[in-house]
Amino acid sequence: MKILDFIQVNPYLFEIPKSYRSDMRVPARIYIKKEMLEAVLKERAIEQLLNVATLPGVDHFALAMPDIHEGYGFPIGGVAAIRARDGVISPGGVGYDINCGVRLLLSEHGHDELKEKILPLVNQMQRDVPSGVGRGGKVVLKESESDEILNTGAEWALKNGYAFGEDLKNIEENGNFKIADAKFVSDKAKKRGADQLGTIGSGNHFLEIQKVEEIYDRETADRFGMFLNQITVMIHTGSRGLGHQVCTDYVRVMNEVVPKYKIVLPDRELACAPFQSEDGQNYFRAMAAAANFAWVNRQMITHLVRGAWERVLKDGKSLKLLYDVAHNIAKLEKYNGREYIVHRKGATRAFPGQPVIIPGSMGTASYVLAGTETAMRETFGSSCHGAGRAMSRMKAKKTIDYNELKQDLAKKEIIFRVGSAKEMLEEAPQAYKNIDDVVDVVHGAGIAKKVAKLKPLAVIKG
Amino acid sequence: MQYEILEHPGDIKIRIFGKDDKELFANAALGMTSYIYGQKITEDRQGPVFFETAEIRSPDKEALLVDWLSEILYRSETNKRAYTDYEILDIKETDLKAKIGSIEAKAIEDIKAVTYSGLKIEKEKDHWEAEVVFDI
C-alpha cells in the first residue's frame, strides 16, 4: 500500500475507497496528517483496518485515529460501528485488555503549594498501590464477591466504602455496565483476576502525579474544575488477567462458531458472531462484566491514592474524579435512530462536552480534551486514546541508550519509579508517536477539542 | 534452535522449530515460559518439579496451538509457577495430551494472551516451524 492509494478528504483525514479491495463493505478512513501516515504504512495497521471494513454490518466507514498502530485483528486506534440488527460483535474489536482506560483525579492545590510534597506523595503512593508483573492486590476476592463486582461494577465499590457517590457520576456508564452478567465469565477468568483488584500491572500502564501546564479553553476548564498549575493524578490500567482471559475464552468460542454463521474473515483474530445471536450476546455480557471489573480496579486504586494523600497531606477526600474513560470496549449506541455496537479498540468515547482523557507516553505530556458534535457526526462519538507505539519494544532496547535516556528524563525534572532499566527503554518517549501531533490531529479535525495539557511530575510504573 | 523471539511493532512474536509436531508444541510452550520468566529458568531450573497433565481439544491444529499455549499461560499465572518441562504424550490434528512440569518462580514479564494474528504452522521437508504473536 502506498500513500497514493489514499484520497485526502481534508488536511486531517484520508480515505481508502471501498473499491480498493473486493471484500471491503465500506471505505476505510484514517484521521492523520500526511507526514505521520508514511510511518504507519510501514506496518500492517492499514491492512488490518481494511480487514475491519469487511465485517458484516459495518456501517459508513472503518475508522482509525491518529495513534493507529498494528494490533491483532483490529488495529489499535480502530473504531467500527456495526449495525446491531444484522451485524456482528468481535472480541478482537475490543482487545484482550477489556476496558483498559484512564481516569483523572483533580486536587484543590496548585503546584506552588505542593512543591515540597511531591516526593513524599509519590513514595507513599508507590508503597500503597501495587504495580508491576505478578504483583497481587490487597483484596483477595471470594467467589460471591467476585460475581457482585462483575455484575454491578463501581456500585460494589460504593457499597464497600471504596468510592464517593459523586465518583460514579463521573465514570462512563457510571462504572456499572448494566448488561453485565457474571454467569458468562468463566471460572478461569475469575481465578486469573482474583488477586488483581487494585493493581496497576505492567507495560504502558501507570500512575502519575501531574500539573496543569497549559489551558487552551478556559470556559470548559472552569466547567471541569481545572486551573493552571493544578496538581492532578492520572491512573491508566484495565481489567488485568480477568479481562485477558474473557477475551481469550470468547475468541476461542467465536472461532468455533464462525462457520455456523457462514462468515468469511480475512484474519482469524477477527472471529465474531452476529450481535443478536446467543454467542454474540454471551460475549457482550461477559465483556461488560470484565469492563465492570476494570472500573472497580481503577476505583480501588483511586481509594488507595486518596489514602496516600490522606497520610501525607491529611486531605485525601479533596481528590475529585474528573472523569473515567474506557478505551477498549464495545458499546450499544444510537446514531440517527439506528442502534450500533460501536467497537472502540484504543479509541476513546468523545460525546459532546464529555472529558476525553489522553495519556501520554512515559515522561511526556497528557491531555484533557472535550468531545464534540463533529465526533457524533463523523466518528460515532470517538477520538484517539494516547500516543500510540512507533517502535517495537525490542528495537527500543537495541537502539536507545539508557544513560542518555536517563539524562534526558532528568532534565525534565520528573521523579521516576519504574520497575527496571529494561522497562524504561521499552517505554521511552522515542518508542512512541509524538502525543502533541496525535492530539493536534483530533483537535484540528474537530473530533475532540483541547482543554488542558498536563505535565508529568512523578511516574510510577512496572 | 528451539525458538527465537522476533520484532513485532506492538507485541512479541516467537518463531518455533521442532523435528516433529510434538517437539514444535513443546518448544512453543518453552519459548513462552522463557519470555515470562527469563531464559535462565528453562536452562538451569532450581527447586522441585511438580508434574501434572494437560489435555486440549480444538477445532484444528492452529487453534490447538493457541489453546495449548493459552492453557499453559493460565496455569502459569494462577499457580505462579514456571512450566519448564514438557512431554507431549500424544498429538493429533485436533487433540493433544501432555505431561507438564513446573517450578515455583517469579514472573519478570507479562503476557496477556496468545493471538491468532499472523499465526503460522508449517511442515517443512525435515522439520516443523510455527510463528505465534503474543499480546503483551
Side-chain angles (χ1 to χ4, degrees):
Chain A
M1 172 159 295
K2 307 175 295 296
I3 209 149
L4 289 173
D5 295 323
F6 288 84
I7 298 163
Q8 183 161 6
V9 180
N10 65 44
Y12 302 106
L13 184 58
F14 291 78
E15 182 176 312
I16 294 280
K18 196 178 140 198
S19 57
Y20 183 80
R21 232 170 72 179
S22 62
D23 57 349
M24 283 168 70
R25 293 171 195 259
V26 291
R29 281 190 159 188
I30 170 166
Y31 286 83
I32 203 158
K33 280 191 280 197
K34 199 170 184 179
E35 52 272 32
M36 295 163 76
L37 191 54
E38 295 280 3
V40 176
L41 288 173
K42 289 181 191 147
E43 299 180 359
R44 283 185 56 240
I46 301 289
E47 185 192 323
Q48 290 181 328
L49 184 66
L50 302 189
N51 290 345
V52 173
T54 72
L55 290 175
V58 63
D59 219 52
H60 286 75
F61 305 103
L63 295 163
M65 297 297 139
D67 44 350
I68 183 173
H69 65 96
E70 186 177 332
Y72 21 87
F74 274 53
I76 314 293
V79 178
I82 297 182
R83 290 187 301 273
R85 183 174 49 84
D86 61 344
V88 294
I89 186 166
S90 171
V94 172
Y96 288 93
D97 197 357
I98 296 168
N99 190 3
C100 181
V102 202
R103 65 168 53 188
L104 188 69
L105 307 174
L106 305 176
S107 82
E108 293 171 344
H109 306 286
H111 187 219
D112 294 346
E113 290 169 75
L114 291 190
K115 222 175 224 166
E116 307 304 322
K117 295 288 183 185
I118 302 296
L119 190 60
L121 274 172
V122 72
N123 288 341
Q124 192 64 46
M125 280 162 57
Q126 194 186 13
R127 274 194 287 273
D128 293 351
V129 184
S131 68
V133 179
R135 278 287 299 276
K138 289 171 185 169
V139 183
V140 178
L141 299 171
K142 291 186 284 255
E143 202 188 322
S144 58
E145 236 176 352
S146 154
D147 282 4
E148 200 184 333
I149 287 168
L150 295 172
N151 287 331
T152 68
E155 289 283 347
W156 174 88
L158 181 65
K159 215 170 88 181
N160 287 276
Y162 298 118
F164 304 147
E166 265 185 29
D167 291 344
L168 272 59
K169 290 182 203 152
N170 298 316
I171 305 175
E172 229 180 286
E173 298 292 322
N174 301 120
N176 179 6
F177 212 153
K178 301 272 190 216
I179 191 81
D181 192 338
K183 217 172 44 234
F184 299 104
V185 175
S186 70
D187 288 342
K188 273 183 165 179
K190 289 175 193 169
K191 204 171 161 199
R192 235 175 127 177
D195 69 343
Q196 294 188 337
L197 213 52
T199 64
I200 297 278
S202 61
N204 61 356
H205 294 163
F206 64 76
L207 178 60
E208 211 168 82
I209 302 178
Q210 312 159 324
K211 76 165 180 180
V212 177
E213 192 181 41
E214 208 171 338
I215 299 265
Y216 304 99
D217 174 351
R218 189 159 300 277
E219 202 186 314
T220 310
D222 280 350
R223 185 165 62 79
F224 287 175
M226 299 185 76
F227 55 88
L228 201 61
N229 284 318
Q230 181 181 28
I231 297 294
T232 63
V233 177
M234 187 174 276
I235 299 164
H236 177 206
T237 187
S239 51
R240 312 282 286 110
L242 184 134
H244 309 161
Q245 190 65 39
V246 166
C247 187
T248 298
D249 290 342
Y250 281 91
V251 168
R252 186 177 197 278
V253 171
M254 299 295 191
N255 257 305
E256 276 189 40
V257 302
V258 158
K260 180 170 92 184
Y261 298 112
K262 299 186 172 49
I263 298 169
V264 180
L265 296 170
D267 178 350
R268 285 188 83 165
E269 198 63 31
L270 289 171
C272 54
F275 179 64
Q276 299 294 353
S277 69
E278 196 183 335
D279 298 305
Q281 287 295 306
N282 292 355
Y283 166 67
F284 190 40
R285 287 176 164 79
M287 185 270 307
N292 279 346
F293 186 87
W295 278 313
V296 175
N297 188 29
R298 292 197 285 276
Q299 189 60 48
M300 297 290 279
I301 293 168
T302 302
H303 173 74
L304 296 171
V305 168
R306 283 175 172 152
W309 278 59
E310 185 62 34
R311 248 161 256 139
V312 177
L313 297 174
K314 313 280 175 244
D315 78 341
K317 282 184 188 150
S318 71
L319 284 177
K320 287 199 174 65
L321 174 58
L322 168 65
Y323 208 68
D324 178 308
V325 289
H327 53 224
N328 280 356
I329 204 159
K331 305 278 273 294
L332 195 57
E333 292 167 3
K334 227 177 207 175
Y335 296 88
N336 300 322
R338 195 178 245 183
E339 270 196 318
Y340 292 95
I341 183 80
V342 181
H343 293 65
R344 295 191 182 95
K345 185 180 187 182
T348 311
R349 198 186 70 178
F351 284 1
Q354 172 216 306
V356 176
I357 303 163
I358 308 299
S361 53
M362 185 181 72
T364 67
S366 295
Y367 284 87
V368 174
L369 295 92
T372 63
E373 290 292 349
T374 307
M376 298 307 272
R377 283 194 304 274
E378 292 188 15
T379 57
F380 295 92
S382 311
S383 183
C384 64
H385 90 303
R389 201 164 255 288
M391 191 190 280
S392 74
R393 289 170 170 86
M394 207 179 249
K395 194 171 173 197
K397 280 184 282 191
K398 268 188 212 155
T399 57
I400 302 168
D401 183 281
Y402 179 60
N403 288 324
E404 267 177 37
L405 173 67
K406 254 176 57 179
Q407 278 168 15
D408 284 352
L409 293 173
K411 276 184 216 150
K412 294 183 177 178
E413 294 179 345
I414 306 168
I415 303 165
F416 284 96
R417 295 283 187 268
V418 182
S420 63
K422 183 185 75 64
E423 195 157 359
M424 288 282 275
L425 290 169
E426 287 179 353
E427 294 298 317
Q430 300 93 303
Y432 283 84
K433 292 191 179 75
N434 184 338
I435 185 84
D436 302 330
D437 288 341
V438 169
V439 167
D440 281 348
V441 170
V442 296
H443 179 84
I447 53 174
K449 284 287 178 189
K450 287 202 275 192
V451 176
K453 185 177 187 176
L454 309 166
K455 179 198 183 303
L457 299 174
V459 186
I460 299 171
K461 63 189 295 158
Chain B
M1 194 185 333
Q2 294 171 302
Y3 57 83
E4 57 179 333
I5 295 176
L6 305 171
E7 291 264 347
H8 186 272
D11 299 299
I12 62 148
K13 188 193 267 188
I14 303 186
R15 182 180 293 150
I16 310 125
F17 307 90
K19 67 176 187 311
D20 52 25
D21 52 353
K22 276 186 179 176
E23 200 176 274
L24 186 82
F25 274 60
N27 286 345
L30 204 60
M32 182 176 76
T33 298
S34 74
Y35 178 78
I36 301 172
Y37 293 91
Q39 195 134 13
K40 247 173 106 182
I41 208 151
T42 53
E43 287 164 0
D44 176 28
R45 61 174 160 69
Q46 308 277 331
V49 183
F50 172 77
F51 286 95
E52 58 200 288
T53 56
E55 286 187 50
I56 315 288
R57 171 163 289 179
S58 307
D60 53 64
K61 199 130 195 168
E62 286 188 347
L64 191 68
L65 182 57
V66 170
D67 292 344
W68 155 246
L69 293 173
S70 298
E71 179 65 22
I72 302 295
L73 178 65
Y74 162 73
R75 292 196 196 186
S76 171
E77 194 171 306
T78 50
N79 299 333
K80 304 201 185 318
R81 299 179 72 83
Y83 285 80
T84 52
D85 288 60
Y86 296 95
E87 189 187 344
I88 309 291
L89 303 170
D90 190 27
I91 186 165
K92 294 189 185 75
E93 199 59 20
T94 58
D95 291 80
L96 175 152
K97 194 173 176 188
K99 187 174 153 193
I100 56 178
S102 65
I103 56 168
E104 212 177 297
K106 196 182 170 314
I108 55 166
E109 293 283 0
D110 253 340
I111 286 184
K112 290 179 189 166
V114 187
T115 79
Y116 280 92
S117 189
L119 180 67
K120 269 189 229 161
I121 303 179
E122 278 162 354
K123 190 180 174 187
E124 304 289 340
K125 228 177 179 178
D126 58 347
H127 72 287
W128 285 63
E129 269 186 48
E131 277 182 16
V132 184
V133 173
F134 297 86
D135 183 11
I136 58 173

